[in-house]
Amino acid sequence: MKVLLAAVNAKYIHSNPAVYSLRAYAAGYASCVEIAEYTINQSAGAILADLYERRPRMIAFSCYIWNWRMIRGLLWDLQQILPDTDIWLGGPEVSYDAPAVLKTYPWLTGIMVGEGEETFRELMGYYCGEDIRLTEVSGICLPGIVMTPARELPDMDRLPFPYDDTAVFQNRIIYYESSRGCPYRCSYCLSGIEKAVRLRSLPLVKRELDFFLERRVAQVKFVDRTFNCRRSHALAVWRYLAEHDNGVTNFHFEIAAELLQAEEIALLQCVRPGLIQLEIGVQSTNPDTLRAIHRHTDLIRLREAVGQIRAGGRVHMHLDLIAGLPYEDYDSFVRSFDDVYAMHPHQLQLGFLKVLKGSPLYEKTREYGIAYSSEPPYEVLYTRWLSYAELRRLKLVEEMVELYYNSGQFRHTLTALEHAFASPFRLYEKLGAFYEERGYVTNHPARSRRYDILLEFACSGDGEHAALYRELLTFDLYLREKCKSRPAFACDLTAYRAALRTYGEDRADHVEPFFYPVWAGSLEEMEVRRERPAFVRFHYAERDPLNHDAEITVL
């Protein structure tokens, strides 16, 4: 007998920790359980064909907002080509209203509701012929609207470590959880529904971290919803990672920065650059918005903590914003954006509200005038404060931030260009409008072409500094790569051949002349043009571990 745990991930680099945890918990039936991981970028036909070739006795899909649309399509076809295969669903997308899902897909065998490790193990006993009836399995919903009793949440230490091999995660992210639940009640989120936080014991966590460290995996993402909600737990884990750093592995954590105290910040200022990566959900800086979504954030303390970590130069930080929240109109969002931008995160992640079934905000959509898509991921269309047209403008801003700011490829050019606009937000807003007017939004220009477009945009609004922008873009480009072909906006090297031969160049570096000190930190310094160029050597063998820029020497 074959049982298949099927995951449809958002990208190839992602993995699904749920299916690995289910298999590990049902280790006594391991010979019967297989895992199949796909992505939403694959064709439904290719996934369907693979499922058919495997011919399992039972398939269980892990359902989320990013894959539910594709899984729904698969369900219609699977029951026709594999009529003797039992089909089960689980995950947050189907747990909230399981009876409604079963009404829509009456051929389903059932739905696992909530945390599914113990439930899946009992189902394996049922399928392997043990004396178990389906109606005796807690935590499931069966056709005919049969809801069995809810299952007690397991102690975290009872959950076995889900991984035994890292080979299948080559070039992919591995996910790990040291806790479940969240102490906060953010109204747009499902994690706070279970207010209690269950922690995995520290000795166990440390042993499991050794598994990743010994195998030198590239990145491990903790899926704990607010990793540092228990200060002692977070500090112990970070200290252990600092003491056992293998020089390779990066660990990602979602945290509340305002909870950080001096001891944690001091530690984060001393770790190897690149060891730890932090994601910090600011979401909004509008006090009315924060109250409405039940976030009691001390923004002053958050800003201080982010600044202190940033000054240490050791930790890569992502800061998050959400557009479409209550009481946040366009002008308010502009202020939130500029507030967060001023904290200088390595990445600014601009997301859009997803109205999740079962979240407190889901119950208040009428009160707040929130309209959202009927299809997953149930993204906001408009609110009482923000129109659909305004959200479209923010979508363009998001794309520009992703292409130019978050890519990290234009840091020096953007620093100078910001001064030509009323605020950072207005820069990306105008850049988005420029992309739309020129047709670049639909053409999706290649990475190398984006340098030319940014120069075109900069000169259209600030032609006085055209020569400076050319050198800034040349500098930003060579910081990232030793180009095989020289960009059109870079200066002609004919007059500098003799000097370049003097400095010498090999495969590991590149030397480039600059009349402006584009490596300087301030616009005032960068604007001063020299009579003779300075030469900069780019050392590609040595790179900044946080932004991946080549080290430079001004000759």
Side-chain angles (χ1 to χ4, degrees):
M1 186 196 68
K2 181 190 297 183
V3 169
L4 189 65
L5 293 170
V8 183
N9 302 322
K11 297 178 181 179
Y12 171 76
I13 62 169
H14 297 168
S15 58
N16 184 304
V19 293
Y20 290 94
S21 186
L22 293 182
R23 184 181 65 175
Y25 201 84
Y29 307 96
S31 61
C32 304
V33 180
E34 291 184 7
I35 288 176
E37 290 192 86
Y38 310 99
T39 80
I40 58 174
N41 300 311
Q42 292 178 257
S43 72
I47 296 174
L48 191 69
D50 187 68
L51 292 171
Y52 175 78
E53 290 300 324
R54 292 172 181 265
R55 289 179 173 78
R57 171 69 180 85
M58 185 261 269
I59 297 177
F61 286 99
S62 185
C63 305
Y64 304 87
I65 55 174
W66 62 80
N67 65 19
W68 180 227
R69 187 180 301 197
M70 174 170 275
I71 289 174
R72 285 186 318 191
L74 292 171
L75 295 180
W76 289 100
D77 296 336
L78 274 173
Q79 51 102 15
Q80 298 184 77
I81 64 171
L82 292 174
D84 297 325
T85 295
D86 285 358
I87 303 174
W88 286 82
L89 305 180
E93 185 56 26
V94 295
S95 285
Y96 170 69
D97 197 1
V101 176
L102 288 174
K103 281 185 178 179
T104 305
Y105 307 98
W107 60 87
L108 292 175
T109 309
I111 294 175
M112 290 178 266
V113 178
E115 297 182 23
E117 283 89 355
E118 183 66 41
T119 301
F120 178 69
R121 184 166 67 178
E122 290 186 13
L123 286 178
M124 287 302 303
Y126 165 79
Y127 279 99
C128 289
E130 296 176 13
D131 187 20
I132 299 174
R133 290 184 294 180
L134 276 183
T135 52
E136 295 174 342
V137 178
S138 297
I140 62 174
C141 184
L142 301 171
I145 321 303
V146 176
M147 292 286 295
T148 64
R151 187 176 293 281
E152 289 187 11
L153 297 176
D155 182 286
M156 286 296 289
D157 282 1
R158 287 180 49 209
L159 302 177
F161 186 62
Y163 306 116
D164 55 16
D165 179 24
T166 58
V168 295
F169 300 103
Q170 195 71 30
N171 302 317
R172 300 170 70 200
I173 298 168
I174 296 181
Y175 296 89
Y176 175 75
E177 59 183 352
S178 70
S179 69
R180 287 182 181 175
C182 182
Y184 304 108
R185 300 300 294 266
C186 302
S187 66
Y188 53 82
C189 183
L190 295 176
S191 296
I193 292 175
E194 182 204 334
K195 191 172 177 65
V197 177
R198 291 170 289 139
L199 294 168
R200 211 160 172 78
S201 64
L202 282 169
L204 187 55
V205 170
K206 291 174 181 179
R207 287 201 301 273
E208 292 169 348
L209 291 177
D210 285 340
F211 176 88
F212 303 124
L213 292 166
E214 290 166 2
R215 287 158 181 77
R216 300 171 71 82
V217 302
Q219 186 177 54
V220 176
K221 278 197 172 185
F222 276 63
V223 295
D224 304 45
R225 300 314 302 163
T226 305
F227 175 73
N228 65 325
C229 65
R230 184 77 62 84
R231 178 174 175 262
S232 59
H233 179 83
L235 186 58
V237 170
W238 287 339
R239 185 174 288 127
Y240 188 81
L241 293 177
E243 293 170 353
H244 296 80
D245 181 17
N246 61 13
V248 174
T249 307
N250 166 263
F251 292 88
H252 177 105
F253 304 89
E254 293 184 28
I255 70 161
E258 67 274 17
L259 299 181
L260 294 173
Q261 297 184 23
E263 192 173 5
E264 298 97 277
I265 290 174
L267 177 61
L268 293 171
Q269 289 174 331
C270 296
V271 297
R272 167 181 61 86
L275 171 65
I276 289 175
Q277 180 172 298
L278 299 179
E279 183 172 347
I280 300 165
V282 182
Q283 319 312 9
S284 172
T285 61
N286 182 326
D288 294 332
T289 298
L290 293 174
R291 278 192 293 271
I293 61 175
H294 305 146
R295 285 182 71 87
H296 306 288
T297 305
D298 183 341
L299 291 172
I300 295 175
R301 178 61 198 134
L302 184 149
R303 189 179 295 111
E304 290 173 350
V306 168
Q308 290 168 333
I309 297 170
R310 174 86 191 190
R314 303 298 182 110
V315 175
H316 196 281
M317 284 188 292
H318 299 186
L319 268 59
D320 300 343
L321 283 171
I322 297 178
L325 294 172
Y327 300 99
E328 185 106 86
D329 60 16
Y330 195 83
D331 289 339
S332 170
F333 189 82
V334 171
R335 289 191 293 272
S336 289
F337 181 98
D338 287 337
D339 287 342
V340 173
Y341 196 93
M343 299 182 206
H344 305 293
H346 297 93
Q347 289 199 8
L348 197 169
Q349 298 179 171
L350 200 172
F352 292 80
L353 176 66
K354 312 295 189 295
V355 181
L356 305 179
K357 298 172 185 175
S359 68
L361 196 60
Y362 174 75
E363 307 297 335
K364 289 196 167 189
T365 52
R366 186 181 299 274
E367 176 185 341
Y368 291 140
I370 296 175
Y372 58 95
S373 173
S374 61
E375 289 293 319
Y378 314 113
E379 191 167 280
V380 64
L381 297 171
Y382 62 84
T383 74
R384 189 198 303 168
W385 301 271
L386 204 58
S387 70
Y388 178 70
E390 289 171 328
L391 276 163
R392 284 191 64 241
R393 286 163 64 189
L394 293 181
K395 281 284 186 180
L396 278 175
V397 171
E398 176 204 23
E399 187 170 350
M400 295 306 101
V401 169
E402 196 62 32
L403 291 178
Y404 287 96
Y405 185 85
N406 289 346
S407 68
Q409 297 165 2
F410 307 89
R411 290 190 304 113
H412 298 81
T413 307
L414 290 174
T415 297
L417 196 52
E418 286 165 19
H419 293 269
F421 293 86
S423 77
F425 179 90
R426 298 303 177 189
L427 160 61
Y428 296 98
E429 182 185 50
K430 291 291 186 183
L431 182 57
F434 183 83
Y435 254 67
E436 192 168 47
E437 290 164 6
R438 304 297 174 95
Y440 297 141
V441 173
T442 53
N443 291 335
H444 301 294
R447 181 172 56 84
S448 58
R449 174 73 175 122
R450 293 172 200 155
Y451 289 86
D452 299 303
I453 294 173
L454 189 59
L455 177 62
E456 184 183 349
F457 169 73
C459 293
S460 70
D462 187 21
E464 178 185 347
H465 291 100
L468 172 60
Y469 290 130
R470 289 178 184 277
E471 289 205 357
L472 282 164
L473 284 165
T474 302
F475 185 68
D476 277 334
L477 178 62
Y478 280 107
L479 276 174
R480 282 304 179 93
E481 58 183 307
K482 185 176 182 180
C483 306
K484 293 181 179 178
S485 57
R486 194 164 176 77
F489 53 78
C491 71
D492 184 349
L493 293 180
T494 303
Y496 311 109
R497 294 297 182 193
L500 290 172
R501 282 195 294 272
T502 300
Y503 290 119
E505 185 171 339
D506 58 36
R507 293 182 181 180
D509 60 21
H510 170 73
V511 179
E512 182 75 22
F514 293 96
F515 282 93
Y516 293 91
V518 290
W519 55 88
S522 69
L523 180 63
E524 289 76 15
E525 294 175 275
M526 286 191 281
E527 285 182 311
V528 180
R529 191 180 191 278
R530 301 163 182 245
E531 290 187 12
R532 295 182 178 181
F535 289 83
V536 175
R537 185 184 298 276
F538 298 84
H539 306 274
Y540 297 109
E542 301 294 332
R543 292 183 179 270
D544 186 302
L546 296 188
N547 60 33
H548 308 297
D549 284 351
E551 287 192 5
I552 66 165
T553 302
V554 181
L555 303 172

